Amino acid sequence: ETGVTQTPRHLVMGMTNKKSLKCEQHLGHNAMYWYKQSAKKPLELMFVYSLEERVENNSVPSRFSPECPNSSHLFLHLHTLQPEDSALYLCASSQEPGMPGNTIYFGEGSWLTVV
Amino acid sequence: SQQGEEDPQALSIQEGENATMNCSYKTSINNLQWYRQNSGRGLVHLILIRSNEREKHSGRLRVTLDTSKKSSSLLITASRAADTASYFCATAPYTGGGNKLTFGTGTQLKVEL
């Protein structure tokens, strides 16, 4: 138990569906992140939120839409995805977003399959 | 190529042996971190070494950092089957952006009984 909870753990969706991934952190952290992990590729940072404000968006297609209603919750809204978007999506949190020496705490991930 | 690259990509050893994984990076860093990932699970932070440190220990883990060579190594001593996982290095840039950790592709370690 890392203190970062992701739901659902597994999701299968069609290319025309709309779904959301949810993340909740119980660590009192100020920053939350979405990462994408595909086979044979390095972990890709998608979005960073600091105190509910998006501070980084790494050229992620608009079919991925993040939402951070408060510092404990983070969503990733998905719509009209492509099969190549199938991957493990990891949510993470840390105390301070811009501080070197940050340790990042990851959730267990949501396995997404787009069919 | 990526900021952090681990070597080897895969490593298979017998229980009780030591496992050594290497990480090379390209730009100046503030710190380097190692994470572990069990199959299909999230990453777990193992150890952080700052750019002004050369060696750090945590239990059976020993991390070294050579900033002149831009490389780090992770040594797991007396390995156990439970150490089977993927291990990633992540670098934090020298200036700003603690959130800009850059991960490598990882080393898959298999420890056999």
Side-chain angles (χ1 to χ4, degrees):
Chain A
E1 178 59 51
T2 64
V4 180
T5 304
Q6 287 187 243
T7 54
R9 290 295 318 280
H10 299 270
L11 177 63
V12 179
M13 60 185 287
M15 288 190 283
T16 58
N17 290 161
K18 287 186 182 181
K19 297 283 185 184
S20 297
L21 305 180
K22 179 184 174 182
C23 177
E24 184 175 358
Q25 58 100 356
H26 310 275
L27 301 168
H29 288 165
N30 293 326
M32 296 189 76
Y33 312 77
W34 279 115
Y35 283 86
K36 176 183 178 183
Q37 186 176 33
S38 306
K40 310 286 186 192
K41 286 187 176 181
L43 216 58
E44 298 173 50
L45 178 62
M46 299 174 72
F47 302 104
V48 181
Y49 275 82
S50 170
L51 296 170
E52 302 131 51
E53 183 181 333
R54 191 189 310 178
V55 296
E56 187 149 344
N57 175 351
N58 282 344
S59 303
V60 178
S62 59
R63 57 187 185 268
F64 295 92
S65 175
E67 178 190 1
C68 188
N70 55 61
S71 59
S72 300
H73 292 86
L74 184 65
F75 295 89
L76 187 63
H77 303 300
L78 316 167
H79 62 98
T80 59
L81 294 191
Q82 305 298 311
E84 60 264 29
D85 296 323
S86 298
L88 179 66
Y89 289 84
L90 292 162
C91 174
S93 71
S94 69
Q95 216 157 18
E96 294 292 340
M99 182 183 276
N102 245 347
T103 295
I104 294 185
Y105 293 79
F106 286 86
E108 295 287 3
S110 293
W111 281 101
L112 173 66
T113 303
V114 182
V115 297
Chain B
S1 55
Q2 7 280 354
Q3 166 71 332
E5 293 190 17
E6 291 89 346
D7 167 58
Q9 289 189 337
L11 179 61
S12 183
I13 59 173
Q14 298 294 310
E15 198 171 48
E17 294 180 337
N18 295 342
T20 300
M21 288 158 268
N22 303 297
C23 171
S24 60
Y25 57 91
K26 297 187 184 306
T27 59
S28 295
I29 62 170
N30 176 281
N31 66 79
L32 184 145
Q33 304 179 31
W34 285 91
Y35 287 79
R36 166 198 166 122
Q37 182 180 34
N38 284 25
S39 180
R41 309 290 291 274
L43 279 74
V44 176
H45 179 262
L46 294 177
I47 196 166
L48 180 153
I49 187 166
R50 301 187 190 282
S51 59
N52 61 353
E53 297 176 310
R54 291 297 165 257
E55 187 171 313
K56 206 160 182 181
H57 297 256
S58 176
R60 294 184 294 112
L61 305 180
R62 174 180 166 243
V63 170
T64 62
L65 179 65
D66 186 335
T67 52
S68 66
K69 293 182 180 177
K70 291 187 167 58
S71 67
S72 172
S73 67
L74 171 67
L75 168 68
I76 304 174
T77 59
S79 64
R80 305 166 182 166
D83 294 328
T84 295
S86 292
Y87 292 82
F88 296 85
C89 69
T91 52
Y94 182 72
T95 53
N99 51 294
K100 291 183 188 295
L101 279 183
T102 303
F103 287 81
T105 49
T107 292
Q108 288 188 354
L109 173 66
K110 184 175 181 181
V111 181
E112 300 186 85
L113 294 169

